[in-house]
Amino acid sequence: MASLPTPLDLSDILLDQKNPRLDDTSQRMGQAEVIRDIMSDEILGQQVYKLAQDIVQYGMDPTALLAVTKSADEAEKYIALEGNRRIVALKILTNPDLIVGVGKKSLEKRFRDLSKRFIDEPITEVRCIIFEDEEEADHWIKMRHTGQNDGAGLVEWNALSQGRYTARKGSAPPEVQVLDFVRDHGTLSAEAKENLSNFKITNLQRLLITKDVRDVIGLIQKERVLYTRFPEEEIIKPLQKIIEDLSGKIKVSQLMSKQQRLDYIAGLAPEFMPDHSKASEEEVRLGDVQPSPTAPPTGPEPTEGQAQAGGSTTSNASKSGEANSNSTPNNTPTPGSNATQTTPTTNANNTPTPASGTPPSTGNLTAKELAGIRERNSIIPARYTRTITVSRINELFKELKKLNVTQFPNAGAVMLRVFLELSVDEYMKRHNLVITVRNDKNLNGKIQKCLDHIIGNGQAEHKEMQPVKNFTTDTSSLGSTVTLNAYVHNPLMHPEATSLKITWHNLLPLIERIWP
């Protein structure tokens, strides 16, 4: 029968030479040799030193007593069945000469320095539970060292639990700040809420340690505290989308590298990004962010009746990424286009929303470049220059640099379409390129003819022109010839500013060959 907690002299407690941390040779060693053997191991040695530091600063852990049994070989001595590392640390602190000859001069010096502090308030007795024999203690040792055992053993806190504990002490890590903000201010789906108990917070941590990611989604980190310049209804967009994704479809393997994390953020639809026109000069701590005075509420989640009536908030609409059920009838796609890409939508008030579909490819953009694209108001950057010798085309070029596409996306989309085709026509005229197949005389066929000429004459490599090639072939993308045509010919298609700006970026390899 195990005893009540009993104080034993440190000098009377022997190391267990059959400890699983040690190999079989330790059973033939003396006590001092076992200590040197442990300390010669790079990892074990450092662990014992860290434990010794903690003991010197805080004392012995009162919540974890040693387990011992009487030695069969030495009278009045006890074998440490549980707590061997603590005994090693205490014995070295008491006598640093025990590790002389281990071959780690730096470690020896650090222990001697610790020992000087330890001697001021030495620990000479250790509270122990005395077991009749090893078998009696076996169950408890197993529960401490063989995992959770379906909850019967030690269940360690996961990263989220650790973060919450830290938060309660006044220093929540960034990933917990984000999670708490979304929980308090967002409208998470039922599935995401259900998965929060097992949320892989390390995935969120990986995203947030990447500065380029923070820049794109509107977060600023100062000494592990997150700030933003956006009001609540804007900063909640990317943060809620990220939590939704990490609760379900995004796996650890998809965010391991920095490039993977940047690709994930770059692939988020514009609706999940904060509106940079609403950023303020003031940096506000994330937990203190307030909605702008005119903003609709981001929570609480609407009732079932409200959702059925089309009364969900912007955040709820963005969770599914699908069109509202009250869309305009007869929204037939343009012939030859992808149905999901060309289907326009309307909201409950019958006002247009951007067409759904795959965002234009951003694979050749850095996160910083993508943030710059989202921030600017014009399709073409104001400082971008080309020498365009045809007066009408040059006027379109200048207007595309001045037009605020956020305010006038329809005008921007049509102007971009006209500028592109007139430029392609001019290149074909200049180089006497002729299309003989009738079906290839559309914009797609013309661009392909130009690409063949540019690559065939060594003006560019295939890889360099791939974004333009994608523009002509990816009919499911909002950045394609099919979409630009639909913006001109389909009254139900509604362009979106960021997609138009990214489309311009993807067309640059062609534009710069047409207008050097």
Side-chain angles (χ1 to χ4, degrees):
M1 184 71 180
S3 71
L4 294 173
T6 304
L8 296 177
D9 286 343
L10 176 63
S11 58
D12 291 336
I13 302 173
L14 306 176
L15 297 173
D16 182 5
Q17 292 167 262
K18 295 185 292 182
N19 187 288
R21 297 185 195 275
L22 307 173
D23 59 33
D24 292 340
T25 60
S26 64
Q27 297 183 36
R28 299 187 293 272
M29 298 177 180
Q31 290 286 302
E33 290 178 290
V34 171
I35 291 175
R36 281 194 292 272
D37 187 52
I38 290 172
M39 298 307 296
S40 64
D41 183 282
E42 190 71 34
I43 296 175
L44 268 178
Q46 288 300 322
Q47 288 177 343
V48 170
Y49 174 73
K50 288 293 185 182
L51 177 57
Q53 277 186 311
D54 194 79
I55 290 173
V56 169
Q57 184 170 359
Y58 299 106
M60 295 289 283
D61 181 0
T63 69
L65 302 182
L66 268 71
V68 301
T69 188
K70 286 186 177 181
S71 170
D73 301 322
E74 298 186 51
E76 305 301 323
K77 300 290 184 180
Y78 296 84
I79 304 294
L81 302 175
E82 169 58 33
N84 279 270
R85 287 191 313 126
R86 283 171 280 174
I87 295 301
V88 170
L90 287 171
K91 287 182 179 286
I92 297 174
L93 287 170
T94 302
N95 179 15
D97 288 342
L98 286 170
I99 58 173
V100 171
V102 169
K104 300 182 184 298
K105 293 291 185 182
S106 173
L107 185 63
E108 181 183 334
K109 182 180 184 304
R110 284 183 286 156
F111 256 111
R112 289 192 183 280
D113 291 340
L114 268 184
S115 178
K116 292 174 184 176
R117 294 166 54 194
F118 177 76
I119 295 303
D120 290 338
E121 295 183 60
I123 296 174
T124 58
E125 286 187 341
V126 182
R127 282 158 54 86
C128 303
I129 301 294
I130 303 173
F131 289 89
E132 288 291 333
D133 50 39
E134 186 176 338
E135 185 177 352
E136 186 184 11
D138 184 62
H139 172 76
W140 307 111
I141 294 172
K142 177 183 177 183
M143 288 297 102
R144 284 189 62 85
H145 293 287
T146 59
Q148 298 186 16
N149 289 288
D150 296 324
L154 286 178
V155 180
E156 293 186 350
W157 287 341
N158 60 22
L160 181 56
S161 300
Q162 294 173 26
R164 286 201 186 106
Y165 177 80
T166 305
R168 288 165 187 162
K169 300 301 179 181
S171 55
E175 57 272 17
V176 174
Q177 295 172 45
V178 167
L179 190 60
D180 286 346
F181 180 80
V182 172
R183 195 198 314 271
D184 294 341
H185 300 271
T187 50
L188 288 170
S189 65
E191 181 182 3
K193 288 180 178 178
E194 185 177 344
N195 291 335
L196 281 182
S197 58
N198 296 314
F199 185 77
K200 300 293 185 183
I201 201 164
T202 50
N203 288 341
L204 180 58
Q205 187 180 54
R206 287 189 181 94
L207 284 172
L208 293 176
I209 63 174
T210 309
K211 184 179 184 299
D212 286 342
V213 169
R214 298 198 303 270
D215 290 344
V216 171
I217 63 178
L219 291 177
I220 303 160
Q221 182 171 317
K222 296 180 180 180
E223 297 181 353
R224 292 179 61 76
V225 177
L226 294 178
Y227 296 81
T228 184
R229 293 190 176 97
F230 292 98
E232 176 190 298
E233 69 274 11
E234 295 300 324
I235 193 62
I236 193 67
K237 294 177 186 177
L239 300 187
Q240 177 163 295
K241 173 61 175 170
I242 288 169
I243 298 301
E244 290 276 356
D245 284 352
L246 297 186
S247 297
K249 67 179 183 179
I250 300 297
K251 308 301 180 186
V252 176
S253 59
Q254 296 172 269
L255 298 173
M256 292 302 290
S257 71
K258 179 180 178 181
Q259 189 57 52
Q260 286 177 312
R261 298 191 284 273
L262 295 180
D263 289 345
Y264 163 71
I265 291 297
L268 294 182
E271 67 197 81
F272 298 122
M273 287 294 117
D275 183 346
H276 285 265
S277 67
K278 297 182 179 178
S280 68
E281 293 298 320
E282 182 184 6
E283 295 175 0
V284 179
R285 190 166 177 158
L286 184 61
D288 298 331
V289 167
Q290 299 294 321
S292 58
T294 59
T298 56
E301 195 167 357
T303 65
E304 185 176 348
Q306 289 174 322
Q308 291 173 348
S312 61
T313 65
T314 300
S315 296
N316 285 331
S318 68
K319 278 186 290 189
S320 66
E322 298 176 357
N324 189 287
S325 60
N326 295 320
S327 59
T328 304
N330 301 322
N331 49 359
T332 307
T334 305
S337 66
N338 182 290
T340 61
Q341 171 247 324
T342 60
T343 304
T345 62
T346 58
N347 62 21
N349 299 319
N350 206 35
T351 57
T353 60
S356 62
T358 307
S361 171
T362 58
N364 61 339
L365 284 168
T366 66
K368 187 174 182 179
E369 288 171 334
L370 185 58
I373 286 174
R374 286 178 169 138
E375 287 176 2
R376 77 169 186 255
N377 291 322
S378 58
I379 291 178
I380 302 176
R383 295 184 179 181
Y384 183 76
T385 59
R386 291 283 101 188
T387 302
I388 299 177
T389 55
V390 180
S391 177
R392 169 83 194 287
I393 303 176
N394 192 43
E395 289 172 3
L396 285 166
F397 178 75
K398 290 179 180 179
E399 289 174 23
L400 283 167
K401 294 202 295 181
K402 295 178 180 178
L403 181 76
N404 187 322
V405 70
T406 304
Q407 294 180 354
F408 306 107
N410 288 291
V414 174
M415 286 172 63
L416 178 61
R417 169 68 172 77
V418 174
F419 172 82
L420 176 61
E421 184 150 25
L422 289 180
S423 295
V424 168
D425 287 345
E426 176 62 23
Y427 184 88
M428 293 180 65
K429 177 182 175 182
R430 191 188 312 154
H431 295 282
N432 298 314
L433 303 180
V434 179
I435 294 177
T436 57
V437 181
R438 181 179 178 183
N439 291 340
D440 288 345
K441 291 185 178 181
N442 56 21
L443 180 57
N444 248 11
K446 292 177 182 179
I447 292 176
Q448 188 56 58
K449 192 73 173 180
C450 292
L451 290 178
D452 292 343
H453 183 268
I454 289 168
I455 295 171
N457 283 276
Q459 298 180 54
E461 299 290 336
H462 281 278
K463 183 178 180 180
E464 190 177 358
M465 304 306 290
Q466 189 60 51
V468 184
K469 183 71 174 176
N470 293 343
F471 175 76
T472 65
T473 58
D474 187 1
T475 59
S476 67
S477 171
L478 291 176
S480 68
T481 51
V482 171
T483 310
L484 280 188
N485 286 336
Y487 291 152
V488 175
H489 300 293
N490 188 341
L492 302 177
M493 284 293 292
H494 305 288
E496 190 277 325
T498 299
S499 292
L500 292 172
K501 289 182 281 186
I502 294 174
T503 297
W504 166 259
H505 178 89
N506 290 338
L507 288 170
L508 281 178
L510 175 63
I511 299 299
E512 293 181 352
R513 267 63 183 191
I514 296 175
W515 306 112

